Amino acid sequence: MRDIAIIGGGASGLVAAITAARQGARVTVFERQSRIGKKILVTGNGRCNMTNINMKREHFHTASQKDCFLPIQHKDVEMTLDFFKSLGIERLVENTKVYPASEQASSVLDVMRMEIERLDINVRVDTKVIKLRPEGTKWQVWTETQEKYTFDRVIVATGGLAAPQLGCDETGYGLLKKLGHHQVPNFPTIVHIVSPTKYCKMMKGMRFKSEVSILVEDKVCRIERGEVLFTEDGLSGPPIFLLSRIAAESFAKKQSCKIHMDFMPDHSKEDLVAMIYERIGQGNHKNIEELFVGWLNKRAIMAIIKQADVGSPLAPCENLEYEMVEALAQSMKQLIFEVHGTRGFKFAQATVGGITLDEVNLETMESLKVQGLYLTGEVLDVDGDCGGYNLQWAWSTGFVAGEAATL
Ligand SMILES: Cc1cc2nc3c(=O)[nH]c(=O)nc-3n(C[C@H](O)[C@H](O)[C@H](O)COP(=O)(O)OP(=O)(O)OC[C@H]3O[C@@H](n4cnc5c(N)ncnc54)[C@H](O)[C@@H]3O)c2cc1C
């Protein structure tokens, strides 16, 4: 019977533990916090967006040339949902996102805890691992309190740097770098974007469906549609989360970065010019601000008028010259926000970068540097888009490593 140590009792570590124990291994989970799976509890705003039925390679990002989709192809969404069903979780599919039917992240952790108990997995909480050393065919694991344990195999599932308040820090990377692994630089992702542009404050609290493009050094890098939330210090919401890895990386590289927001993605600028003229025709007694009431959110109107630079919003709309109408239409199609990075790891849901995939066998998740060492989840240089992709990476790599480590 193999003795397996799992460092980190998060999403990928717990799945690896259950998988290995179901195959007959004797498993010990080391978790530095007072409880396992704390991060799982906050996922999906407490509902746990556990995966996505639209599972495609394009939703995952890595600096490696390797095919990071391999573990997800081996242990796919259906297999994952079957695994959770075997533990008691029924699925709820919303658009393509999958949640537990209870809509409680706590139930995902609860059923895993029940299985961990049933399988008699040894869970050591409040135990931080500070050193790993191979010795012959065995592994030695040291804890912060200088206790030393011996195992046949070690799975490192220490996570990334997102949400440090939930127990993540650099120690996982440190353990692996001492064993010869290399780290791709880290940035926060799935996080608010910070903008000093005054329109954010003007539109604070507003939610609006729009098309958002992110430009680095004036080149469009990615375009997303969805509901944007405007905050005191920047932008948030699903499309912004999808763009945030680019914002974080460009900020770290000191590149110029902007967001262009199209409030009317289904209309051309020419359409909008015609629509503005039609409204002037219907309401030539109105001022410029009033002209837009009922068409656009009131908080957006002022920002659009300001960027168009058409003078006082209180001026009569019938005095608008053609170039001014064009400028207003242009503002509606392209409100410009300067980007100054993101709110950082504290508010991020995932980590860009980590231990390079070049040093891992993706068929087994075993290290190519040292035998008997396996790596799973966010500690690796893979980040998924917002929508259940990061947990799927954690689950799939956990299944693969848990299975391979018992062989
Ligand atoms: C607020 C928030 C919401 C999210 N929502 C979603 C979502 O809805 N859907 C989705 O797909 N993804 C979501 N994510 C991302 C997802 O939670 C992570 O990608 C996933 O949990 C990573 O799993 P992991 O096992 O690699 O690491 P983690 O789950 O972070 O677990 C790592 C564990 O290792 C422990 N640890 C670290 N170092 C040591 C050490 N030296 N010794 C012992 N223990 C150690 C940590 O305490 C931690 O418990 C969210 C993240 C956050 C922060």
Side-chain angles (χ1 to χ4, degrees):
M1 188 190 280
R2 286 216 189 276
D3 266 314
I4 300 180
I6 307 216
I7 321 300
S12 69
L14 296 181
V15 161
I18 292 171
T19 306
R22 280 182 175 180
Q23 301 210 353
R26 201 162 29 221
V27 179
T28 303
V29 176
F30 292 92
E31 170 54 56
R32 62 183 287 194
Q33 297 189 86
S34 55
R35 294 182 67 192
I36 53 171
K38 271 196 177 176
K39 197 179 272 183
I40 295 172
L41 295 176
V42 299
T43 55
N45 282 325
R47 294 170 72 212
C48 187
N49 176 194
M50 51 200 291
T51 186
N52 196 305
I53 53 173
N54 178 25
M55 192 55 60
K56 295 202 181 112
R57 186 179 274 99
E58 69 205 46
H59 294 293
F60 296 89
H61 315 279
T62 173
S64 172
Q65 294 301 312
K66 277 192 167 176
D67 182 6
C68 69
F69 204 55
L70 212 62
I72 295 173
Q73 271 171 330
H74 284 179
K75 302 291 174 190
D76 62 10
V77 172
E78 273 315 308
M79 185 264 150
T80 304
L81 292 172
D82 285 348
F83 167 83
F84 280 106
K85 168 97 176 142
S86 80
L87 300 182
I89 297 285
E90 303 290 342
R91 71 179 82 172
L92 169 74
V93 184
E94 241 178 49
N95 299 319
T96 58
K97 293 180 183 174
V98 185
Y99 299 86
S102 60
E103 298 195 52
Q104 288 181 304
S106 58
S107 51
V108 175
L109 181 57
D110 284 344
V111 295
M112 286 206 276
R113 262 206 302 255
M114 292 175 214
E115 186 69 353
I116 282 168
E117 240 171 73
R118 184 184 77 83
L119 293 165
D120 210 14
I121 293 171
N122 183 11
V123 177
R124 299 187 62 89
V125 291
D126 290 320
T127 309
K128 182 174 175 178
V129 171
I130 55 159
K131 192 165 138 197
L132 301 172
R133 205 172 71 191
E135 246 183 37
T137 58
K138 299 277 182 193
W139 278 88
Q140 296 197 332
V141 174
W142 273 266
T143 68
E144 204 169 29
T145 48
Q146 296 307 318
E147 286 164 289
K148 187 176 108 182
Y149 301 85
T150 305
F151 293 92
D152 298 313
R153 303 276 164 90
V154 174
I155 298 177
V156 176
T158 44
L161 299 177
Q165 64 280 18
L166 297 171
C168 288
D169 66 7
E170 293 271 357
T171 54
Y173 299 127
L175 294 173
L176 292 165
K177 285 202 281 191
K178 278 199 189 116
L179 294 166
H181 280 280
H182 293 88
Q183 188 179 355
V184 174
N186 297 114
F187 309 106
T189 183
I190 315 187
V191 59
H192 289 49
I193 288 180
V194 172
S195 170
T197 303
K198 56 183 179 290
Y199 311 138
C200 291
K201 260 197 192 112
M202 289 165 74
M203 292 189 274
K204 183 179 147 190
M206 179 181 116
R207 288 173 188 275
F208 203 85
K209 287 203 181 79
S210 47
E211 188 175 276
V212 202
S213 316
I214 189 157
L215 295 85
V216 176
E217 303 290 0
D218 293 321
K219 205 172 136 235
V220 175
C221 295
R222 188 166 174 176
I223 302 174
E224 292 294 337
R225 271 193 194 199
E227 192 174 69
V228 176
L229 168 65
F230 296 80
T231 68
E232 177 91 21
D233 64 342
L235 306 164
S236 187
I240 296 297
F241 284 169
L242 290 169
L243 304 182
S244 59
R245 78 188 302 283
I246 298 172
E249 188 170 357
S250 64
F251 188 67
K253 291 182 175 167
K254 299 192 166 50
Q255 293 169 311
S256 86
C257 184
K258 283 191 196 107
I259 280 192
H260 286 180
M261 199 164 298
D262 184 347
F263 284 101
M264 297 283 160
D266 296 323
H267 294 284
S268 66
K269 188 173 140 191
E270 292 68 38
D271 281 351
L272 295 178
V273 168
M275 288 159 91
I276 294 171
Y277 272 118
E278 196 186 319
R279 291 176 74 88
I280 294 174
Q282 280 168 359
N284 60 0
H285 56 284
K286 295 180 182 175
N287 65 34
I288 302 174
E289 186 186 354
E290 288 165 345
L291 182 67
F292 290 92
V293 173
W295 189 15
L296 282 175
N297 186 302
K298 273 195 182 168
R299 288 183 232 192
I301 297 172
M302 289 311 281
I304 282 163
I305 295 173
K306 228 173 170 63
Q307 182 179 286
D309 198 18
V310 293
S312 167
L314 303 177
C317 69
E318 62 178 2
N319 291 353
L320 283 168
E321 315 248 340
Y322 181 78
E323 296 72 41
M324 293 169 153
V325 170
E326 229 189 358
L328 286 164
Q330 174 66 17
S331 276
M332 290 166 84
K333 288 296 290 171
Q334 198 181 89
L335 200 65
I336 302 170
F337 297 84
E338 289 291 327
V339 171
H340 282 186
T342 70
R343 277 198 192 163
F345 281 113
K346 192 168 175 208
F347 297 91
Q349 293 190 16
T351 311
V352 176
I355 300 299
T356 174
L357 292 188
D358 296 345
E359 298 164 350
V360 177
N361 174 352
L362 294 177
E363 304 274 353
T364 57
M365 301 317 291
E366 188 173 9
S367 161
L368 295 173
K369 293 276 177 190
V370 217
Q371 259 187 355
L373 175 72
Y374 298 78
L375 285 70
T376 64
E378 211 175 300
V379 76
L380 286 159
D381 169 32
V382 173
D383 61 287
D385 284 341
C386 184
Y389 298 102
N390 285 298
L391 279 174
Q392 186 60 56
W393 171 254
W395 312 133
S396 294
T397 52
F399 290 129
V400 172
E403 215 167 81
T406 48
L407 298 177

